[in-house]
Amino acid sequence: MANSVNVLDLVPADAERILGEYFASRGQPAYRARQVVHRLWKNPVRTFDEMTELPAGARSELAGHFSLPRLEIVERQRSVDGTQKFLFRLDDGQGIETVAIPEDDRVTLCISSQAGCALKCAFCATGQMGFQRNLHPWEIAAQVREMRLIEDPLLVTNVVFMGMGEPMMNWQAVDPALTILNSPDGLGIGARHITVSTVGVLPGIVALGKRPEQFRLAVSIHAPTDALRRQLMPINTKYPLADVLAAARAFDRRVTFEYVMLGGVNDQRTHALELAQLAKRCRAFVNLIPLHAGGGTEFQPTSPRDIARFARLVRGAGGGIEVAIRKSRGTDISAACGQLRVERLGRRPPQRADEHGHVHVV
Ligand code: SAH
């Protein structure tokens, strides 16, 4: 039904209130609202009809008043290392990617917050395709929900906003999506297991810091000086390094610095020493990311040996900086963000980001 309320686009408390009013208005028991809410995220169903704890009549009436949309999986790929990559098609034909990375007893889901991205980081496949549109809250959270509905379901334990898009340019949807992901009546994923990754959009960092839950923040640094960072990340003109670092310092929880290793570009000894100083000032955890090649950019990955050397230099700078080298996963399925969509759906003309991409800070 075109004008029906999408129950997935509401945070669980609002869904329960609206469903409660709906059942009350038809003289049906109030506990039905809770029953339905539990079937949205925690123990999800594909259709209202699958909510078999409700009488058949109640189910079909629900379906007449509310919608329970799905994300359509158009492609599911499995890497030899267990990584799985999903391409979802949205109802307007847009494509987004989600990557599931199992490790030990965890499953980390790398989710998208926008279709495309406006920021044009030089090494990123998503940046190449430009901005298409912001995702709705439900489209963000449903990437996790769908993992519970597929064949061989995956129980996601950790979420990282490191798929397509810049989450802080879509804060108005990411904010309620975080509530759905974390709420015990939603997907129930602990806040410390949810990481929002940003290029350093300052109002978004402030807004995340104001949330009482312990959501984690990762900042894509990628260069220790403004001159180099501007070349790699055009957003550095709007949010220069000094401001990003000040925001990271002001964030009251531990921050991760992401640093993608680009051969001959940002991987020299001086870069390591400069990066170490920045990390020390922010007491940041440093994550060195091997470049996923492909996706139409010219950059070359730094060799594993040189990444290890770079890590030793950062660690050796003193101050107890912790450095990790991210394991590359799913390289055989082009699992870096944006790569699959570019291959499968081709390119679409980009949209102007500033129509929707602004950040509301409450
Ligand atoms: N816009 C946000 C989140 C999405 S990208 C951000 O930039 O932080 C998540 C991370 O993947 C970022 O650190 C990004 O720089 C990195 N990344 C993008 N393309 C990559 C590639 N080809 N190889 C390795 N990391 C990449």
Side-chain angles (χ1 to χ4, degrees):
M1 214 187 235
N3 58 354
S4 61
V5 175
N6 173 0
V7 274
L8 295 182
D9 218 23
L10 301 166
V11 297
D14 288 345
E16 187 168 340
R17 184 175 46 77
I18 286 168
L19 287 160
E21 288 163 6
Y22 163 85
F23 284 118
S25 74
R26 328 192 130 230
Q28 294 185 28
Y31 63 77
R32 293 253 159 89
R34 271 198 86 65
Q35 285 180 311
V36 173
V37 167
H38 284 175
R39 300 295 249 152
L40 301 182
W41 303 102
K42 280 169 75 147
N43 187 11
V45 286
R46 290 168 189 80
T47 61
F48 286 111
D49 203 45
E50 285 184 11
M51 298 181 182
T52 47
E53 63 275 41
L54 302 180
R59 283 181 262 153
S60 65
E61 279 180 32
L62 268 171
H65 285 81
F66 298 96
S67 67
L68 189 61
R70 301 283 308 273
L71 298 177
E72 183 198 351
I73 295 181
V74 288
E75 180 117 15
R76 178 181 189 177
Q77 297 182 346
R78 294 168 202 254
S79 162
V80 287
D81 68 17
T83 302
Q84 294 188 47
K85 176 147 187 164
F86 300 86
L87 177 63
F88 291 108
R89 196 182 356 243
L90 308 179
D91 51 15
D92 59 354
Q94 290 292 342
I96 56 164
E97 299 177 9
T98 304
V99 180
I101 307 157
E103 175 135 56
D104 304 328
D105 52 359
R106 297 193 305 263
V107 176
T108 300
L109 201 70
C110 180
I111 63 172
S112 296
S113 55
Q114 300 180 311
C117 184
L119 300 182
K120 301 206 177 322
C121 295
F123 47 84
C124 176
T126 306
Q128 309 274 306
M129 74 182 73
F131 178 73
Q132 302 291 337
R133 73 164 170 88
N134 278 327
L135 300 189
H136 301 296
W138 80 270
E139 290 169 326
I140 298 172
Q143 295 168 59
V144 181
R145 174 181 140 88
E146 289 295 334
M147 296 299 115
R148 302 185 181 193
L149 296 174
I150 55 179
E151 214 174 291
D152 299 328
L154 294 166
L155 199 56
V156 173
T157 59
N158 297 63
V159 171
V160 294
F161 282 77
M162 295 183 188
M164 293 165 64
E166 167 51 49
M168 299 313 197
M169 299 283 268
N170 186 17
W171 178 252
Q172 66 273 27
V174 168
D175 188 25
L178 286 170
T179 303
I180 298 171
L181 292 171
N182 173 243
S183 155
D185 284 334
L187 289 157
I189 298 168
R192 290 160 194 269
H193 295 155
I194 300 173
T195 301
V196 181
S197 176
T198 178
V199 294
V201 176
L202 301 183
I205 296 178
V206 172
L208 184 68
K210 281 192 181 152
R211 295 235 7 184
E213 306 93 335
Q214 301 280 302
F215 296 119
R216 305 235 168 218
L217 172 68
V219 181
S220 293
I221 297 289
H222 303 328
T225 61
D226 277 316
L228 180 57
R229 195 166 187 266
R230 218 170 14 236
Q231 285 175 31
L232 299 175
M233 306 172 70
I235 191 71
N236 193 75
T237 307
K238 181 156 188 196
Y239 299 118
L241 206 44
D243 295 352
V244 174
L245 296 170
R249 250 203 321 274
F251 195 80
D252 66 355
R253 309 184 284 270
R254 166 102 114 155
V255 173
T256 297
F257 280 2
E258 288 165 278
Y259 196 92
V260 63
M261 301 294 297
L262 305 170
V265 175
N266 68 352
D267 62 351
Q268 305 299 302
R269 181 190 166 81
T270 51
H271 300 127
L273 301 179
E274 287 164 340
L275 176 64
Q277 296 311 315
L278 307 186
K280 240 189 268 183
R281 265 202 268 147
C282 297
R283 273 175 277 101
F285 180 94
V286 176
N287 211 337
L288 301 178
I289 312 174
L291 176 73
H292 276 241
T297 72
E298 301 296 308
F299 293 93
Q300 296 302 317
T302 303
S303 72
R305 217 192 61 211
D306 286 348
I307 297 179
R309 186 186 50 99
F310 192 93
R312 277 197 302 277
L313 283 169
V314 178
R315 267 188 218 111
I321 309 165
E322 281 181 70
V323 184
I325 299 171
R326 184 172 303 161
K327 256 195 257 170
S328 260
R329 301 285 301 265
T331 42
D332 53 331
I333 55 169
S334 302
C337 77
Q339 292 183 337
L340 182 61
R341 182 188 142 133
V342 169
E343 286 165 21
R344 289 308 139 95
L345 297 184
R347 296 179 190 272
R348 292 173 167 229
Q351 306 297 310
R352 282 169 56 91
D354 49 6
E355 287 164 19
H356 313 284
H358 53 282
V359 176
H360 297 288
V361 183
V362 279

